[in-house]
């Protein structure tokens, strides 16, 4: 349940990075939930099928990579052979498969809701941009509804991680001893670059200029401002001083050493939440996060030295993540 909650909440970053306020347009949120393929929803299956044909939905990276890994190790085949030797095991496996299917559908839906929300946001904004451009005599005629839908779908595919765009080389790396889940960070880097390029292209266009500036602002807030602001807000809220954060970092496990942490002090005891491990864009925000941790860890050093060390460490982590 915690993983599903984190997945749903964190995926809101996709909307924020593209310049859309999560839950900002309630009609788009409602339409997204109505189209989900989960029991209790499915009120707009026709719309979902259209999005499926456009390649907008059902392309969640982590779920697809987990399924590929299970195929690699012949997970189901091995269990079926085991089940043939033990009475009642097949009955147990049928129940387990139902649970797996439910969890898989939920995980996909948590991702789809933000894909649909982004698609609706793009469609509405593009339609408005073209209408305004026609009225201002910038263009003679607006594209058709279907053409705008295709353009909105293309933007979603290019700016939100999509397993269909993961290269065979990256997919194959899951079989290496270096790591199994490289597809998602690879897609984060691809989509971040695409989002920036799209924003710059929009700024150069007289039709979409405002949308381009909004996207750049959304990127800046999402990639760097949100992690730093969350850290500073938590420090202020719980009254945790910088020397106390420095002391906390000395006891952090290796996997959290350079993460953006949310420090908590309650009843004289110290706790922390690893914000980076729940933040989808940690791959690109790793540099400012590592810089902050380095400065926190070495209060006696000049700030500039801490910044330099932080950048060096962050680049090293990024290179190791993409297996260079």
């Amino acid at each position: 349940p915690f993983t599903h909650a984190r997945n749903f909440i964190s995926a809101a970053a996709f909307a924020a990075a593209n310049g859309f306020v999560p839950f900002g347009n309630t009609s788009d949120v409602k339409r997204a939930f109505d189209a989900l393929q989960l029991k209790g929803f499915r009120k707009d299956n026709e719309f979902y099928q259209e999005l499926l044909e456009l390649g907008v939905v059902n392309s969640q990276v982590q779920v697809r990579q987990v399924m590929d890994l299970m195929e690699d190790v012949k997970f189901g085949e091995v269990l079926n052979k085991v089940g043939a030797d033990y009475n009642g095991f097949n009955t147990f496996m049928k129940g387990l498969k139902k649970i797996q299917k439910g969890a898989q559908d939920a995980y996909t839906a948590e991702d789809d809701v933000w894909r649909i929300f982004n698609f609706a946001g793009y469609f509405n904004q593009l339609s408005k941009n073209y209408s305004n451009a026609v009225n201002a005599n910038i263009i003679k005629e607006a594209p058709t509804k279907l053409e705008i839908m295709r353009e909105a779908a293309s933007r979603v595919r290019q700016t939100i991680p999509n397993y269909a765009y993961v290269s065979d080389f990256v997919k194959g790396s899951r079989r290496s001893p270096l790591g199994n889940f490289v597809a998602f960070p690879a897609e984060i880097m691809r989509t971040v670059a695409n989002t920036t390029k799209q924003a710059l292209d929009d700024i150069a266009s007289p039709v979409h200029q405002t949308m381009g500036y909004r996207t750049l602002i959304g990127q800046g807030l999402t990639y760097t401002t949100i992690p730093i602001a969350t850290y500073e807000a938590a420090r202020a809220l719980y009254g945790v001083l910088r020397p106390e954060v420095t002391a906390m970092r000395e006891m952090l496990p290796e996997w959290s050493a350079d993460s953006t942490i949310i420090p908590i002090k309650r009843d004289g005891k110290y706790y922390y939440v690893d914000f980076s491990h729940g933040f989808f864009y940690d791959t690109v925000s790793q540099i400012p996060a590592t810089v902050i941790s380095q400065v926190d860890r070495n209060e006696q050093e000049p700030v500039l030295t801490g910044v330099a060390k932080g950048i060096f460490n962050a680049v090293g982590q990024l290179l190791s993540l993409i297996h260079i």
Side-chain angles (χ1 to χ4, degrees):
F2 290 102
T3 301
H4 286 292
R6 191 210 71 168
N7 184 49
F8 174 71
I9 295 169
S10 297
F14 295 148
N18 286 324
F20 301 114
V21 178
F23 299 108
N25 190 321
T26 54
S27 61
D28 287 349
V29 173
K30 183 180 184 304
R31 194 169 192 197
F33 275 98
D34 285 346
L36 293 181
Q37 298 300 288
L38 282 178
K39 188 176 181 180
F41 297 92
R42 296 176 183 163
K43 297 177 182 178
D44 197 349
N45 286 332
E46 183 179 349
F47 181 46
Y48 189 85
Q49 290 304 315
E50 290 177 351
L51 296 176
L52 197 58
E53 292 177 9
L54 290 168
V56 173
V57 294
N58 198 25
S59 54
Q60 218 278 346
V61 176
Q62 293 101 317
V63 168
R64 295 294 186 89
Q65 194 149 45
V66 168
M67 300 309 294
D68 284 349
L69 284 166
M70 291 177 72
E71 288 181 13
D72 288 345
V73 299
K74 295 181 172 56
F75 186 72
E77 182 180 325
V78 172
L79 288 179
N80 285 335
K81 288 180 180 178
V82 173
D85 299 328
Y86 294 94
N87 293 330
F89 191 81
N90 285 330
T91 302
F92 168 74
M93 280 305 300
K94 287 180 181 178
L96 192 62
K97 285 180 179 179
K98 287 182 180 179
I99 295 173
Q100 178 214 344
K101 180 68 167 56
Q104 181 181 330
D105 289 346
Y107 212 80
T108 301
E110 291 149 13
D111 185 69
D112 279 350
V113 69
W114 292 110
R115 294 178 184 274
I116 300 171
F117 179 81
N118 275 269
F119 172 84
Y122 275 130
F123 179 81
N124 293 338
Q125 189 61 55
L126 289 170
S127 299
K128 182 179 178 180
N129 290 352
Y130 287 123
S131 177
N132 291 339
V134 170
N135 293 335
N137 294 320
I138 296 174
I139 58 175
K140 292 182 179 180
E141 185 180 1
T144 64
K145 180 181 178 181
L146 180 58
E147 289 172 334
I148 297 175
M149 286 181 68
R150 287 173 176 166
E151 183 177 350
S154 175
R155 287 175 179 253
V156 172
R157 293 196 304 270
Q158 295 301 327
T159 60
I160 295 180
N162 189 315
Y163 198 61
Y165 289 86
V166 179
S167 69
D168 291 337
F169 174 78
V170 172
K171 289 179 181 177
S173 69
R174 71 175 182 272
R175 300 187 180 96
S176 76
L178 299 175
N180 303 119
F181 295 98
V182 70
F184 189 72
E187 271 299 279
I188 286 292
M189 286 184 278
R190 179 187 74 87
T191 54
V192 165
N194 286 344
T195 302
T196 304
K197 181 181 181 301
Q198 184 64 67
L200 295 176
D201 289 343
D202 287 342
I203 290 172
S205 166
V207 178
H208 305 307
Q209 190 175 69
T210 302
M211 187 163 65
Y213 283 118
R214 189 182 66 187
T215 301
L216 284 183
I217 293 171
Q219 279 189 292
L221 290 173
T222 305
Y223 301 160
T224 56
T225 306
I226 289 178
I228 294 172
T230 303
Y231 162 74
E232 292 293 351
R235 227 175 40 81
L237 180 65
Y238 289 99
V240 182
L241 302 176
R242 290 195 181 278
E244 293 174 308
V245 176
T246 301
M248 290 175 68
R249 285 197 175 278
E250 290 178 0
M251 294 180 283
L252 290 181
E254 181 183 352
W255 56 85
S256 293
D258 290 317
S259 295
T260 299
I261 65 169
I262 301 176
I264 300 170
K265 182 167 67 174
R266 187 184 301 134
D267 299 328
K269 295 182 179 180
Y270 295 88
Y271 309 87
Y272 81 98
V273 174
D274 191 327
F275 180 84
S276 292
H277 281 74
F279 186 55
F280 282 1
Y281 286 110
D282 181 60
T283 303
V284 291
S285 64
Q286 185 69 51
I287 290 179
T290 306
V291 168
I292 290 175
S293 72
Q294 200 67 42
V295 172
D296 279 340
R297 196 181 291 118
N298 301 288
E299 282 207 329
Q300 302 304 316
E301 289 185 351
V303 173
L304 189 60
T305 303
V307 170
K309 285 185 177 180
I311 293 174
F312 180 81
N313 291 347
V315 172
Q317 288 182 32
L318 182 58
L319 291 177
S320 67
L321 180 64
I322 58 178
H323 304 326
I324 291 179

